[in-house]
Amino acid sequence: MMIRKIYVLLLLLPIGAFAQNLKVTELQCEHKQNPLGIESAMPKLSWQLLSNQHNTMQTAYRILVADEISKLKNNEGNVWDSKKVISPASLQIVYRGKPMQAAKTYYWKVMIWDNHKNVSDWSSIASWQMGLLAKTDWAGAKWIAYNKLPDSSAIVPFYHGKGPKKLGMANDVLPLMRKSFTVHDQLKKATLYICGLGHFELSLNGKKTSDHFLDPGWTKYDKQALYVPFDVTNELQSGKNTIGVMLGNGFYFIPRDKRYRKLTGAFGYPKMICRLVMEYQDGHIENILSDNSWKTAPGPITFTSIYAGEDYDANLEQTGWNTNNFDDNKWHNVITVDGTPMLNAQMADPLKIMEEFAPQHKNKISTGAWVYDLGQNFSGIPQLIVQGKKGDTIKIIPSELINADGSANQKASGGPHYYKYVLKGGGTETWHPQFSYYGFKYLQVEGAVPQNETNANQLPVIVDIKGLHTRNAAATIGKFTCSNELFNRTFKLIDWAMKSNMASVFTDCPHREKLGWIEEAHLVGSSLRYNYDIAGLARKCINDMRISQTEDGLIPEIAPEYVKFDEPFRDSPEWGSNAVILPWYVYQWYGDREVLTENYDMIKRYLAYLDKKTDGHLLYQGLGDWFDLGPKPPGVSQLTPKGITASSIYYYDLNIAVKIAQLLGKQADAASYKKLSAEVKQAYNNKFFNAQTKEYGTGSQAANAMSVYAGLVDPQYKTAVVNNIVKDIRDRGNSLTAGDIGYRYLLRVLDDEGRSDVIYDMNSRSDKPGYGYQLAHGATALTESWAALPEVSNNHFMLGHLMEWFYSGLAGIRPAEGSIAFNRIEIRPEVVGDVTSASASYQSPYGKISSSWKKDTRGFELSVGIPPNTTSIVYLPVNKSTAIKINGQNISNEKDVKLIGYQDGKTMLKIGSGNYTFNTK
């Protein structure tokens, strides 16, 4: 009887009770958790598995999607029920349900089966909300502005520099806008869709709506602008409410005065469009739209420029302007203006204030100004807390470097750039810029005195000052550390340049230019992807290229292309090829096939453009190996012929195009690209390869490395060419010469060919130009030049290629050949030099991959973590005769590990998901 009762009880238990070993987590729609603003008609869904069993693989899944959370809780997928699908796929599953509706929220969950016969419980419920899919979805909202720039005053494209003198000075009104409205009882959900150009700051009932900075991301405004959706359900109250919007310039309008500007241009004066959608419990919808009923007035920001800084007069503040009780009778109505042709949701992460820096020390210079050293060069803004009299004015000058007299040095970072604050008096005042930023380590403050310092002239008192680091809020998904302190410092050096140049584009520098020089996204892209989740930002970069592509197919070197630079700063294949390479890398790293289909036409048009530019199948235009180390000051390539860098990248493009075309079922295109690539290879080797010396061109590091990496070297010569690369480095005392383009490929070839010892020797020193040299000369962020020259940018991430090797080489986390989103992994640590330990982890789309090793007199130990639904080959740096233990057991006793062979002095083991510790003696 007891046995029967137990049996009945077991039958009553949910299936999940038997599947505690298997869970579903990290649900994402279009690379984001619970996103707003989805515009895909068939959104892509992804999830991760959690299992405490080794070798776990998904065998099937079932997805439910509903338009009411209550239905989903009852396991009713009234929008889509995929039923049980026999498939290991857990990434980018295409939604196949009912048509999506604009602005509507959908709820979903998933359950899975695995190869151990486990069945998971249903996952937690996730959601996505659709964006505004067509112009009609804005429900009649108008673009509104304080005033309109005359068409004759628009400057598009921009001028490089100050432009013609006839332009004269120009500033604009930075307006405030407000609208009061009523919310009735039983509000269910409220979403505000807004675009403010160049940038906006949104508030509801007197409180800033989000922690975003410089929304929306900058784009080519004559073709596209981005809107940002906000869930404001909890910020609205029953009864009267007020929306407040403050507008700034960004790249939409660049004021003209005596301050610095890299570019001169004007799309228009600031403007805004918004739609507030309020859904009530009874199902009816109310809209609050931007129209000419809104009120506007000038704000307290009197000047703002993306290049020159910002001025704020606190005496112009209108207290409570964005609250319900404010009297706006003296404000006038907005005007309606024309909009931008295309509005899309901002899907890249927003910029935010991510970190704060307090001064390390301060110094009074001869002019009476005070200079604060914040200890780190970073992108951001100052924040000032001050007390003083009404009308007192404080000026803050940020800088990366200081002059010999201790004053701020903006010679190489673009100056004058400064911030001015006019006090209103009457107490402590806190302020920071809202629509501009800079790269700096120092803050020079004029017109004020630090607290507790002598103040004979009764100047305002600086109660506190700090630096606020702003960047794209892409999540940090990688970690690295090792026993070599120089490498740890180098990691931090590169990381700060990366963080400082992740805005809404991948900028070259956070001060002088702030432009999206596109070569960085593919050359330093892997280094970025190991550290940060840049799926959204990478797609933004690709969209910017597609929109900036010219009619004849050219991809310019910057995107968005605000200015048409003179050659060779517009048409360099090493830059433009990002249009081919980055979509492919996004597919390889994230499994995003849609990015290939969406951009295939861009890729084809660019390759057709390059084909027309060839001379005998080879290309010779552009910048070449920018900023390589030659006898002259850095700039265009000195050591490597441009024909080599441009043509090898072209060949690399063609081979990627073959793979993309095959993947998309475009076999005729694949055959055409394959034929053309063979012709390019033959022409390249006929022109540049020296069969006697086994070198390409001048035999530079970049020339030989790019030839090897692109696959241009015939197999019988490959070893000799690699040996020549090593010989050149050794002959130079283990010094590097390759620049922006060549150094990434130099590192990849050495890593791939098992020569990480050479990488170590090049980069574990401080006496020759390189990372260690920059650190020895005081750099706290990667600089534009290997030699940390003061006359160029000192916060530039284009040379950050070594970061990739820290993960792929030293720690050994690599995607296997042909893997997608790290579904097949290699763990291949390189034990080199004096490094006795290294540890890294990477949050792949499938889950966390980790590798941690150490060596001492007792032997070598490697700990590895492999996520479910993936497999891995582990390369242990020991030979065939070495005894190996796995999780304390002899390898022969471990059924979850398979010995598959030996290669180049390493033992190869195949493993599935789980955590493993390998010990050798």
Side-chain angles (χ1 to χ4, degrees):
M1 187 69 179
M2 179 64 72
I3 293 174
R4 186 173 180 180
K5 285 183 178 179
I6 294 173
Y7 178 70
V8 172
L9 182 62
L10 289 172
L11 288 176
L12 292 173
L13 288 172
I15 291 175
F18 296 97
Q20 297 308 306
N21 291 330
L22 184 65
K23 295 181 180 179
V24 189
T25 186
E26 299 297 322
L27 274 64
Q28 291 191 339
C29 174
E30 297 290 342
H31 304 287
K32 288 183 172 293
Q33 293 184 350
N34 303 322
L36 309 180
I38 295 298
E39 294 181 334
S40 172
M42 302 170 71
K44 271 66 67 184
L45 308 176
S46 304
W47 57 87
Q48 293 179 9
L49 287 63
L50 289 179
S51 173
N52 58 13
Q53 291 182 273
H54 281 177
N55 299 320
T56 297
M57 299 292 288
Q58 177 185 294
T59 58
Y61 66 83
R62 182 185 177 190
I63 299 171
L64 293 182
V65 181
D67 56 9
E68 293 286 347
I69 197 168
S70 59
K71 293 177 181 177
L72 204 60
K73 287 179 178 178
N74 291 326
N75 296 334
E76 180 187 351
N78 70 313
V79 178
W80 184 41
D81 183 347
S82 72
K83 306 299 183 183
K84 184 177 180 179
V85 179
I86 306 301
S87 170
S90 59
L91 300 181
Q92 304 296 308
I93 308 301
V94 178
Y95 166 84
R96 303 285 185 185
K98 296 178 181 178
M100 296 281 93
Q101 297 179 34
K104 192 171 182 63
T105 300
Y106 296 91
Y107 304 92
W108 70 290
K109 62 182 180 179
V110 61
M111 65 183 297
I112 61 171
W113 290 255
D114 75 8
N115 57 325
H116 302 301
K117 302 188 184 302
N118 294 311
V119 184
S120 78
D121 259 335
W122 285 108
S123 68
S124 298
I125 294 174
S127 68
W128 77 83
Q129 184 169 346
M130 298 301 291
L132 304 182
L133 309 180
K135 187 175 181 179
T136 53
D137 295 327
W138 285 89
K142 305 295 185 184
W143 283 95
I144 58 175
Y146 178 87
N147 54 6
K148 183 181 185 301
L149 180 75
D151 292 342
S152 59
S153 297
I155 305 172
V156 180
F158 291 5
Y159 291 108
H160 182 197
K162 298 276 188 178
K165 288 185 178 180
K166 65 180 181 180
L167 292 177
M169 300 291 191
N171 196 10
D172 61 337
V173 172
L174 287 311
L176 308 175
M177 295 179 177
R178 56 175 274 120
K179 171 74 174 181
S180 293
F181 59 97
T182 299
V183 176
H184 305 293
D185 290 335
Q186 303 299 310
L187 179 67
K188 179 181 177 182
K189 187 177 180 64
T191 306
L192 182 61
Y193 301 88
I194 179 170
C195 174
L197 302 179
H199 299 298
F200 68 87
E201 192 166 284
L202 171 69
S203 60
L204 276 167
N205 298 325
K207 295 181 180 179
K208 186 178 175 183
T209 303
S210 73
D211 57 356
H212 296 191
F213 177 70
L214 294 185
D215 267 344
W218 48 87
T219 54
K220 201 170 188 305
Y221 299 112
D222 54 340
K223 293 186 176 181
Q224 182 204 34
L226 303 178
Y227 67 88
V228 186
F230 295 100
D231 183 344
V232 296
T233 308
N234 296 327
E235 296 175 57
L236 296 181
Q237 58 196 22
S238 181
K240 189 175 182 182
N241 292 262
T242 299
I243 303 173
V245 179
M246 180 180 286
L247 295 178
N249 285 324
F251 277 99
Y252 195 68
F253 180 87
I254 299 177
R256 303 190 295 273
D257 70 348
K258 293 183 178 180
R259 300 195 214 189
Y260 172 75
R261 61 183 185 273
K262 171 71 176 179
L263 306 176
T264 298
F267 288 96
Y269 289 147
K271 62 185 180 183
M272 184 273 286
I273 187 171
C274 76
R275 177 191 175 191
L276 172 60
V277 184
M278 295 183 292
E279 180 184 356
Y280 288 89
Q281 295 290 352
D282 63 4
H284 87 276
I285 301 290
E286 287 186 6
N287 289 301
I288 301 300
L289 307 174
S290 52
D291 57 25
N292 56 15
S293 68
W294 285 57
K295 292 294 191 71
T296 186
I301 299 176
T302 57
F303 175 94
T304 185
S305 167
I306 195 69
Y307 285 121
E310 191 162 297
D311 297 345
Y312 187 99
D313 187 344
N315 298 286
L316 300 178
E317 292 177 347
Q318 301 191 51
T319 303
W321 70 272
N322 50 3
T323 64
N324 294 328
N325 298 323
F326 182 77
D327 182 0
D328 61 12
N329 285 328
K330 293 183 180 179
W331 289 31
H332 65 71
N333 288 78
V334 298
I335 62 171
T336 58
V337 293
D338 293 335
T340 194
M342 183 167 51
L343 268 173
N344 295 110
Q346 176 172 285
M347 293 308 294
D349 291 288
L351 277 71
K352 295 184 179 182
I353 294 170
M354 302 297 290
E355 197 169 340
E356 296 183 0
F357 288 94
Q360 302 297 300
H361 54 81
K362 62 182 183 292
N363 180 49
K364 185 177 182 180
I365 59 176
S366 59
T367 61
W370 288 84
V371 178
Y372 293 82
D373 182 351
L374 301 179
Q376 175 63 52
N377 191 353
F378 62 95
S379 59
I381 53 178
Q383 178 172 285
L384 178 70
I385 301 178
V386 64
Q387 290 178 335
K389 301 184 296 294
K390 180 181 176 69
D392 285 343
T393 301
I394 297 175
K395 182 177 180 181
I396 304 173
I397 304 172
S399 69
E400 296 186 307
L401 305 173
I402 53 175
N403 296 306
D405 64 356
S407 61
N409 178 353
Q410 293 184 341
K411 292 175 184 175
S413 55
H417 176 112
Y418 57 83
Y419 308 104
K420 286 175 67 174
Y421 179 75
V422 182
L423 282 72
K424 59 187 173 185
T428 300
E429 304 175 40
T430 301
W431 174 79
H432 65 68
Q434 292 165 271
F435 298 117
S436 186
Y437 77 104
Y438 204 66
F440 61 95
K441 180 174 181 276
Y442 302 94
L443 292 173
Q444 179 173 312
V445 183
E446 300 175 355
V449 172
Q451 200 168 33
N452 301 321
E453 296 288 347
T454 302
N455 190 2
N457 296 323
Q458 298 299 299
L459 295 174
V461 174
I462 303 169
V463 177
D464 189 28
I465 191 168
K466 63 180 67 172
L468 307 179
H469 167 48
T470 62
R471 69 161 174 89
N472 187 280
T476 301
I477 57 174
K479 293 180 180 179
F480 169 84
T481 188
C482 72
S483 61
N484 185 303
E485 190 54 32
L486 179 58
F487 283 169
N488 291 334
R489 293 176 64 208
T490 298
F491 181 95
K492 183 179 178 182
L493 184 85
I494 298 170
D495 189 40
W496 269 110
M498 287 179 172
K499 290 190 289 192
S500 297
N501 286 288
M502 285 197 299
S504 59
V505 300
F506 296 110
T507 61
D508 58 328
C509 57
H511 35 60
R512 186 183 68 218
E513 298 193 14
K514 298 186 175 86
L515 297 175
W517 292 93
I518 59 178
E519 92 288 2
E520 300 166 320
H522 73 89
L523 292 168
V524 195
S526 295
S527 297
L528 280 164
R529 285 185 290 272
Y530 273 119
N531 270 313
Y532 299 99
D533 180 2
I534 60 166
L537 190 53
R539 291 199 66 151
K540 162 70 163 57
C541 177
I542 293 167
N543 291 339
D544 287 340
M545 288 188 291
R546 188 176 66 246
I547 289 170
S548 290
Q549 187 172 28
T550 63
E551 289 186 8
D552 63 355
L554 166 69
I555 299 291
E557 293 175 37
I558 60 168
E561 191 186 28
Y562 295 125
V563 59
K564 295 180 180 179
F565 282 128
D566 294 335
E567 298 298 356
F569 293 98
R570 193 170 189 237
D571 180 12
S572 280
E574 305 88 344
W575 276 249
S577 291
N578 191 49
V580 181
I581 299 170
L582 185 57
W584 180 245
Y585 284 1
V586 167
Y587 169 68
Q588 286 185 311
W589 279 69
Y590 303 115
D592 189 343
R593 179 183 171 126
E594 186 180 61
V595 76
L596 302 178
T597 58
E598 284 182 347
N599 296 286
Y600 187 70
D601 182 63
M602 172 182 71
I603 293 168
K604 282 193 68 174
R605 291 177 58 222
Y606 182 59
L607 290 175
Y609 170 83
L610 290 181
D611 185 40
K612 292 178 182 177
K613 297 283 288 188
T614 58
D615 180 0
H617 293 305
L618 301 177
L619 295 166
Y620 296 93
Q621 75 267 32
L623 296 168
D625 190 21
W626 179 250
F627 264 58
D628 60 350
L629 270 173
K632 299 177 183 178
V636 296
S637 181
Q638 300 181 54
L639 303 181
T640 305
K642 294 180 184 178
I644 284 182
T645 53
S647 300
S648 62
I649 286 283
Y650 177 43
Y651 179 75
Y652 186 54
D653 291 347
L654 290 169
N655 280 292
I656 288 175
V658 170
K659 297 173 185 176
I660 295 174
Q662 290 173 339
L663 186 69
L664 300 182
K666 301 178 183 297
Q667 300 305 328
D669 286 351
S672 176
Y673 288 133
K674 190 171 184 179
K675 178 177 180 294
L676 182 55
S677 70
E679 294 167 349
V680 171
K681 181 175 181 178
Q682 182 177 355
Y684 185 91
N685 281 304
N686 289 342
K687 176 71 175 179
F688 297 117
F689 184 59
N690 187 321
Q692 282 70 46
T693 64
K694 309 298 186 293
E695 293 178 327
Y696 282 83
T698 55
S700 68
Q701 295 170 13
N704 284 331
M706 293 186 72
S707 301
V708 173
Y709 188 84
L712 285 156
V713 182
D714 289 330
Q716 67 269 29
Y717 299 126
K718 184 178 178 181
T719 299
V721 175
V722 172
N723 288 340
N724 274 327
I725 295 172
V726 175
K727 183 178 184 300
D728 182 84
I729 294 168
R730 299 299 195 204
D731 287 349
R732 296 176 182 273
N734 293 320
S735 294
L736 60 89
T737 61
D740 178 21
I741 308 301
Y743 194 61
R744 195 254 170 168
Y745 299 112
L746 176 64
L747 294 178
R748 295 313 327 130
V749 168
L750 292 172
D751 191 3
D752 291 344
E753 297 301 314
R755 295 312 306 266
S756 282
D757 60 314
V758 182
I759 297 175
Y760 171 87
D761 290 339
M762 277 196 299
N763 294 287
S764 59
R765 59 191 306 172
S766 303
D767 59 325
K768 296 286 183 71
Y771 303 108
Y773 187 90
Q774 293 185 20
L775 287 164
H777 285 74
T780 58
L782 186 64
T783 73
E784 186 175 8
S785 67
W786 285 123
L789 300 172
E791 58 266 25
V792 297
S793 166
N794 273 250
N795 194 339
H796 231 78
F797 87 105
M798 73 179 187
L799 298 174
H801 316 94
L802 191 66
M803 181 78 80
E804 182 179 3
W805 177 75
F806 286 149
Y807 284 95
S808 71
L810 207 53
I813 299 174
R814 302 163 58 97
E817 182 69 26
S819 77
I820 302 300
F822 282 77
N823 64 337
R824 291 187 291 112
I825 304 158
E826 287 184 0
I827 302 293
R828 198 181 77 182
E830 297 292 343
V831 182
V832 292
D834 67 356
V835 183
T836 57
S837 66
S839 178
S841 65
Y842 164 61
Q843 291 286 351
S844 79
Y846 285 97
K848 184 178 179 179
I849 304 169
S850 61
S851 172
S852 179
W853 63 264
K854 61 182 179 181
K855 68 171 186 175
D856 54 29
T857 55
R858 294 171 294 180
F860 178 82
E861 180 178 289
L862 171 65
S863 295
V864 173
I866 304 299
N869 227 19
T870 70
T871 60
S872 177
I873 304 295
V874 176
Y875 292 76
L876 285 175
V878 294
N879 57 34
K880 189 174 184 179
S881 62
T882 305
I884 301 172
K885 286 193 174 183
I886 302 169
N887 298 332
Q889 302 293 319
N890 290 326
I891 189 171
S892 58
N893 299 330
E894 184 55 69
K895 62 182 178 62
D896 293 331
V897 179
K898 183 179 181 181
L899 176 63
I900 60 173
Y902 304 91
Q903 179 180 306
D904 300 327
K906 296 181 178 181
T907 300
M908 300 167 62
L909 305 169
K910 184 174 183 179
I911 61 175
S913 65
N915 297 312
Y916 305 82
T917 298
F918 303 89
N919 292 96
T920 67
K921 292 185 178 180

